[in-house]
Amino acid sequence: IDVRAAAIEVVERMGLLPGLREAHIDTRHSTFVDTRGRTIARLTPDDFTGSPEGRDVEVPRGDLARLLYERTRDDVEYLFEDTITALDRDTEGVHVTFRNAPPRTVDLVVGADGLHSAVRGLAFGPETGFRHDLGFAFAGFSMDDPWGHDREFIAHNAPGRMAGCYAVRGRAGIVGTLAFATPPGFAFDPGDDEQQRDLLAAAFADGGWEVPRLVAAMRTAEDLFFDTVSQIRMPRWSTGRVALVGDAAYAPALLSGQGTSLALVGAYV
């Protein structure tokens, strides 16, 4: 994930910037190749973003979560492996029911639980009223690195499809990515892992470059992540004592590369 622009000042005020700089994966460049693996173009991260060189930070998502947790764990009560299942509001506050923990009454509920926010669904209604799909689906997964890549992203584009992989500094293996254009009304079962793998395999059945290797790795990956490329658009982000922040309220879609920065700035505001 990327931390850019105004979000840099926010994480600096939070005291997190030194830790993020240390975790910075320092991608050297992105390379675009044809069906035979020949380089078409090569760009630096700053070419993409237009930011001053060396100002932005790119880190694994887990590293940002770890830094936030370490900074707050002595002052904040965390309930891991749990979720909110019901919200009942009255003049005393919000009565919160959890899947595992005992219920409690609180003064304020802030949903920071992502594109498919459970809090948003409970407080504002079904996701379908706010999610706007942009016509693509994507997947990410871990795989072995047979090429010896280092700190770079490599992508092969064809009409309606993109296949790629990127190597993160200091981490074994690489991350494979597959994205394809979807027809109007495209839907999938979030709980059906095999259906997602079949959709990806069908979309890339005749791919060039190293696409067959990526598809094979996707088939057996234990950490496959699959979703649509979507935005969240809402007329308001609060209702009574319940509010939303980050992707739960205003997901800009992963294509923007700004979701984390917007979430950090929005939480600060």
Side-chain angles (χ1 to χ4, degrees):
I1 54 90
D2 301 305
V3 181
R4 301 180 186 165
I8 292 290
E9 183 176 352
V10 168
V11 294
E12 187 172 22
R13 294 185 183 191
M14 295 170 70
L16 297 179
L17 188 55
L20 290 173
R21 293 274 186 219
E22 185 177 343
H24 178 45
I25 65 174
D26 194 23
T27 299
R28 298 179 301 169
H29 48 246
S30 296
T31 302
F32 297 86
V33 299
D34 64 13
T35 55
R36 296 171 60 183
R38 297 174 298 190
T39 298
I40 299 171
R42 180 166 286 166
L43 302 171
T44 70
D46 297 321
D47 292 330
F48 273 113
T49 65
S51 299
E53 185 175 354
R55 175 169 171 80
D56 293 348
V57 180
E58 184 182 10
V59 298
R61 182 179 182 273
D63 283 13
L64 176 59
R66 173 182 56 79
L67 288 166
L68 288 166
Y69 172 67
E70 289 175 351
R71 192 77 176 182
T72 57
R73 62 185 177 186
D74 293 335
D75 304 302
V76 176
E77 177 190 2
Y78 282 88
L79 302 176
F80 290 108
E81 298 185 9
D82 211 341
T83 190
I84 294 173
T85 59
L87 297 172
D88 297 299
R89 288 163 281 182
D90 59 27
T91 56
E92 296 181 2
V94 186
H95 306 287
V96 182
T97 302
F98 298 92
R99 183 179 58 196
N100 298 319
R104 66 177 70 180
T105 299
V106 300
D107 296 321
L108 179 69
V109 173
V110 179
D113 48 344
L115 177 71
H116 304 297
S117 168
V119 172
R120 185 184 62 234
L122 294 170
F124 293 89
E127 179 177 297
T128 53
F130 308 111
R131 195 188 80 228
H132 294 260
D133 296 336
L134 300 187
F136 293 90
F138 75 99
F141 48 92
S142 297
M143 60 181 291
D144 294 333
D145 179 13
W147 306 289
H149 293 319
D150 178 40
R151 291 186 296 146
E152 65 178 322
F153 173 69
I154 300 176
H156 170 59
N157 291 80
R161 297 184 301 188
M162 186 280 292
C165 58
Y166 64 90
V168 176
R169 183 185 68 171
R171 303 216 171 187
I174 56 177
V175 177
T177 61
L178 298 169
F180 61 93
T182 56
F186 173 82
F188 69 97
D189 182 353
D192 190 339
D193 187 69
E194 286 307 306
Q195 180 202 45
Q196 297 166 24
R197 296 181 197 270
D198 289 343
L199 287 168
L200 288 161
F204 289 88
D206 57 350
W209 181 55
E210 297 286 353
V211 168
R213 190 192 297 265
L214 289 168
V215 171
M218 174 274 298
R219 277 291 194 188
T220 59
E222 296 180 354
D223 59 352
L224 176 69
F225 180 85
F226 180 84
D227 207 346
T228 56
V229 177
S230 307
Q231 293 178 330
I232 295 296
R233 307 177 192 169
M234 303 183 70
R236 58 183 299 169
W237 301 326
S238 64
T239 172
R241 292 173 177 261
V242 180
L244 303 172
V245 71
D247 277 2
Y250 40 79
L254 72 91
L255 295 177
S256 70
Q258 294 282 4
T260 300
S261 293
L262 284 174
L264 287 163
V265 173
Y268 177 82
V269 171

